């Protein structure tokens, strides 16, 4: 068996176990046993557990994030310097993740981001989300010039929460809606989510009475 096959089996096993047990609770020995490999193979391909974790996320997130940036580039080009409409910015942010991850086991691993130790969260965001946050933050500032920097950041945070919960919580939706809502219908989710997130981003500021 060649090295590429071994690397793929390790990544597959790690993704499954991280999603099922959590990253901190999953040992390299458990991963190698599931992959039919040995610790030397993990060290050869990844050097450390942290590097393996990053590789597991990278192979799923990098294509989706490239698509996000490509969609944002395209709508900015169409706007010819004036800044794209908010609906196109939000669509570029949410749609690639819906297309890549709805109905896949990776949604469970995405949910792990919110329950792992803070150091993991910091490293994850630095590795995978810095450029996305920079580009979409700048686009939102142009589209919503009346909002303060603090409001933009809070509303980005809430918007990310909508996307993350939708990816991870499809099973609950199916049960609570008694089948009326299909958590695997990417296009229906996309249309509703873009409408919902745009409304939240545009909402009036001020204290709730």
């Amino acid at each position: 068996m060649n090295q590429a096959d071994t690397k793929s089996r390790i990544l597959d096993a790690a993704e499954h176990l991280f999603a099922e047990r959590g990253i901190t609770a999953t040992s390299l020995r458990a991963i190698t046993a599931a992959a039919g490999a040995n610790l030397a193979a993990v060290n050869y391909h990844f050097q450390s557990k942290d590097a393996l974790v990053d590789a597991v996320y990278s192979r799923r997130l990098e294509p989706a994030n490239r698509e996000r940036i490509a969609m944002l580039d395209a709508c900015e080009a169409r706007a010819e310097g004036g800044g794209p409409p908010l609906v196109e910015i939000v669509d570029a942010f949410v749609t690639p993740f819906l297309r890549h991850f709805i109905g896949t086991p990776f949604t469970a691993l995405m949910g792990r981001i919110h329950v792992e130790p803070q150091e993991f969260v910091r490293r994850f965001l630095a590795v995978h989300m810095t450029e996305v946050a920079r580009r979409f933050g700048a686009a939102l500032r142009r589209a919503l010039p009346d909002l303060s920097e603090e409001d933009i950041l809070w509303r980005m945070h809430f918007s990310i929460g909508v996307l993350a919960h939708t990816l991870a919580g499809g099973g609950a939706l199916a049960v609570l809606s008694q089948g009326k809502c299909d958590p695997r219908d990417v296009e229906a989710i996309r249309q509703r989510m873009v409408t919902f997130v745009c409304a939240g981003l545009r909402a009036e500021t001020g204290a709730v009475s």
Side-chain angles (χ1 to χ4, degrees), residues 5-137:
D5 288 338
T6 301
K7 184 176 181 179
S8 293
R9 286 188 291 110
I10 293 170
L11 287 168
D12 289 343
E15 179 177 304
H16 172 76
L17 290 173
F18 289 156
E20 182 181 79
R21 304 178 184 179
I23 293 166
T24 303
T26 301
S27 68
L28 289 178
R29 290 191 180 277
I31 293 167
T32 56
N38 54 46
L39 286 174
V42 174
N43 291 330
Y44 174 79
H45 289 291
F46 305 104
Q47 288 76 58
S48 68
K49 184 179 178 181
D50 283 350
L52 173 57
V53 172
D54 288 339
V56 167
Y57 278 97
S58 291
R59 71 170 179 162
R60 305 298 186 197
L61 290 176
E62 285 183 359
N65 279 335
R66 283 196 299 269
E67 187 176 332
R68 279 172 151 177
I69 297 298
M71 288 180 67
L72 183 60
D73 286 341
C75 64
E76 286 180 336
R78 289 193 299 271
E80 298 180 347
L86 181 62
V87 66
E88 293 188 10
I89 298 169
V90 173
D91 190 37
F93 185 77
V94 306
T95 299
F97 266 39
L98 298 178
R99 288 176 178 162
H100 281 260
F101 303 136
I102 286 288
T104 74
F106 189 70
T107 56
L109 194 56
M110 287 295 291
R112 287 289 177 186
I113 296 167
H114 306 286
V115 296
E116 292 293 331
Q118 193 68 25
E119 181 55 39
F120 165 77
V121 175
R122 282 195 291 268
R123 191 178 78 251
F124 171 87
L125 293 175
V127 171
H128 300 291
M129 302 307 295
T130 299
E131 180 63 9
V132 170
R134 184 186 71 80
R135 288 293 308 278
F136 279 91

Side-chain angles (χ1 to χ4, degrees), residues 91-204:
D91 190 37
F93 185 77
V94 306
T95 299
F97 266 39
L98 298 178
R99 288 176 178 162
H100 281 260
F101 303 136
I102 286 288
T104 74
F106 189 70
T107 56
L109 194 56
M110 287 295 291
R112 287 289 177 186
I113 296 167
H114 306 286
V115 296
E116 292 293 331
Q118 193 68 25
E119 181 55 39
F120 165 77
V121 175
R122 282 195 291 268
R123 191 178 78 251
F124 171 87
L125 293 175
V127 171
H128 300 291
M129 302 307 295
T130 299
E131 180 63 9
V132 170
R134 184 186 71 80
R135 288 293 308 278
F136 279 91
L140 288 174
R141 291 179 191 97
R142 289 193 299 271
L144 300 164
D146 295 333
L147 289 181
S148 69
E149 177 73 5
E150 185 178 8
D151 278 330
I152 290 286
L153 292 170
W154 273 114
R155 293 180 191 209
M156 286 179 66
H157 174 70
F158 297 143
S159 300
I160 291 166
V162 170
L163 178 58
H165 178 72
T166 300
L167 290 173
L173 175 63
V175 172
L176 292 172
S177 71
Q178 297 182 332
K180 296 182 181 68
C181 300
D182 183 356
R184 298 163 299 177
D185 187 340
V186 172
E187 185 56 27
I189 295 168
R190 169 184 167 270
Q191 292 178 13
R192 288 171 171 83
M193 185 182 293
V194 170
T195 299
F196 183 87
V197 171
C198 284
L201 289 167
R202 291 190 182 108
E204 293 183 9

